[in-house]
Amino acid sequence: MRPPPLWLLWLLLCGLGATAPPLDSFSQLAAPQHLNLHLYNDEQILSWAPSPPTNDTRPVVYQVEYKFIKGSWNKVKDVNCTDITETKCDFTRGGGLNSFTGLRQVSLRVRAKQGSLTSEWVTLSKFEHYCNVTVGPPRNISVTPGKGSLIIQFSPPFDVTTDASFKYHVHYWEKTGTQQVSGPFTKNSIVLNDLKPFGVYCLQIETQLIVNDGNTCPPRSSFSKVSCHETTGNAYTRLQVTLIPVGIFLSLLGLTGACFFLFLKYQSQVKYLFQAPPNIPEQIKEYLKDPDQPILEVLDKDSSPKDDAWDSVSIISSLEKEQDRVLQTL
């Protein structure tokens, strides 16, 4: 067998020492985007936007980790938030809330994974549950009408630790009255007294989450929906409430009828009482001002020309002519 040519050996040696081709520049996945933490009462749900799609057909999964302010990153143990395909992690489903309650500062981070490719971690700013939670209204509100009172019972929005407590104010008003506020209350049973029997009152409960002294979290509050209720009373009170307006109406009706009957019976006397008083003639007034002048001159001077003057006088017939006419007729 003939040995290979020298030029072929030279090419093989150069090929073995050649540089390997460069790796694919897209060696990492794009990171998840728009992390959002939903905190409402005892709900804690972390969600995010998925990574942009690639040409790889393998599924993309996500991993969630947490840490406290003085600790290392850990996987979530109470719920399954490792290698999940959905783009959220609900910490309230399996008791994970117990780790994140109170005033403990918590940080969360998420990354994507596809086969051997991974993305960078995306970290959410730290949060404190009592300082960032949205407080809802009380739950299971029931109102029982009483005799001039309303008995209100309810449950707190969620359970709290010794780091905080709830306080309640009741805003109530009669439908035609002004709003009043009663409280604060710390118990879940409230009685509104001194209300009108069989009165309709509307109310609204304000809930405040108060963090204990020494912390900088502001109070967080919410209002329940408005509901209206009618108070009760005994049978005598109900009779009073019904008869008083009826009695007033009947009294006014009877008084009106009596006045009308008296007017018809004494109509002439009533007209006489309400007619205008007689006036003193102007001549008499002039005479009273100056009694020394003769009364007849005053009357002649001030007599109205409309009463005593005529433009012309016509004699229609005389007595003698009338007698002659009668005799001729006979």
Side-chain angles (χ1 to χ4, degrees):
M1 183 176 180
R2 295 179 57 183
L6 294 178
W7 61 270
L8 182 60
L9 293 175
W10 181 83
L11 288 176
L12 291 173
L13 292 175
C14 291
L16 293 175
T19 306
L23 297 175
D24 187 3
S25 59
F26 189 76
S27 59
Q28 283 190 332
L29 289 176
Q33 302 174 353
H34 310 302
L35 268 65
N36 178 65
L37 181 63
H38 171 75
L39 296 176
Y40 180 80
N41 288 347
D42 56 359
E43 298 176 3
Q44 292 184 346
I45 303 174
L46 177 67
S47 61
W48 57 88
S51 302
T54 63
N55 295 328
D56 197 332
T57 58
R58 292 175 297 180
V60 177
V61 295
Y62 301 94
Q63 299 174 338
V64 180
E65 294 183 351
Y66 76 94
K67 77 170 183 177
F68 298 116
I69 189 171
K70 294 181 180 179
S72 56
W73 291 101
N74 301 282
K75 295 181 179 180
V76 182
K77 299 178 181 179
D78 298 325
V79 292
N80 181 21
C81 289
T82 302
D83 297 336
I84 57 176
T85 56
E86 57 182 345
T87 58
K88 70 176 183 178
C89 178
D90 189 350
F91 301 105
T92 60
R93 291 184 302 181
L97 176 68
N98 295 330
S99 300
F100 301 154
T101 55
L103 298 172
R104 303 187 70 176
Q105 294 185 355
V106 184
S107 295
L108 299 172
R109 68 178 185 179
V110 183
R111 73 174 179 180
K113 184 179 179 181
Q114 187 178 37
S116 59
L117 303 178
T118 58
S119 71
E120 295 182 352
W121 289 100
V122 182
T123 304
L124 184 73
S125 300
K126 63 181 182 295
F127 70 95
E128 299 176 32
H129 183 231
Y130 290 165
C131 292
N132 301 102
V133 67
T134 299
V135 178
R139 297 175 295 135
N140 306 319
I141 300 176
S142 66
V143 180
T144 304
K147 294 181 179 180
S149 63
L150 293 174
I151 303 171
I152 309 169
Q153 294 179 323
F154 51 87
S155 302
F158 58 95
D159 295 330
V160 294
T161 63
T162 56
D163 296 328
S165 61
F166 286 110
K167 291 185 179 180
Y168 308 95
H169 291 80
V170 180
H171 300 251
Y172 65 99
W173 61 94
E174 199 174 4
K175 278 198 170 182
T176 57
T178 58
Q179 187 177 109
Q180 303 180 60
V181 181
S182 183
F185 303 97
T186 56
K187 296 183 179 180
N188 303 337
S189 180
I190 301 171
V191 179
L192 297 178
N193 291 312
D194 301 327
L195 305 180
K196 294 180 180 179
F198 304 104
V200 178
Y201 289 85
C202 299
L203 59 88
Q204 193 175 26
I205 304 174
E206 178 186 6
T207 306
Q208 278 191 332
L209 175 63
I210 307 297
V211 179
N212 292 341
D213 296 337
N215 299 290
T216 58
C217 296
R220 315 184 74 81
S221 62
S222 66
F223 287 84
S224 66
K225 294 181 179 180
V226 177
S227 60
C228 298
H229 311 271
E230 183 180 7
T231 60
T232 63
N234 52 37
Y236 178 71
T237 306
R238 169 65 77 178
L239 186 63
Q240 282 183 321
V241 173
T242 305
L243 291 182
I244 288 176
V246 175
I248 294 175
F249 174 76
L250 292 177
S251 299
L252 292 176
L253 186 62
L255 182 61
T256 304
C259 292
F260 182 71
F261 174 77
L262 291 175
F263 175 76
L264 294 178
K265 185 175 181 180
Y266 302 100
Q267 183 175 5
S268 59
Q269 289 84 343
V270 172
K271 289 183 178 180
Y272 176 77
L273 290 175
F274 288 96
Q275 69 180 359
N279 294 328
I280 301 174
E282 293 295 329
Q283 298 89 338
I284 304 300
K285 290 182 180 180
E286 293 293 333
Y287 174 75
L288 293 176
K289 292 179 181 179
D290 188 8
D292 294 336
Q293 57 181 332
I295 183 61
L296 295 178
E297 294 181 1
V298 174
L299 294 176
D300 291 340
K301 181 180 67 175
D302 296 333
S303 60
S304 174
K306 294 181 181 180
D307 298 334
D308 300 333
W310 295 270
D311 293 337
S312 62
V313 177
S314 300
I315 298 175
I316 300 175
S317 63
S318 63
L319 180 59
E320 294 179 356
K321 291 182 178 181
E322 187 67 25
Q323 291 176 352
D324 294 340
R325 188 178 62 82
V326 173
L327 290 175
Q328 291 176 1
T329 303
L330 294 176

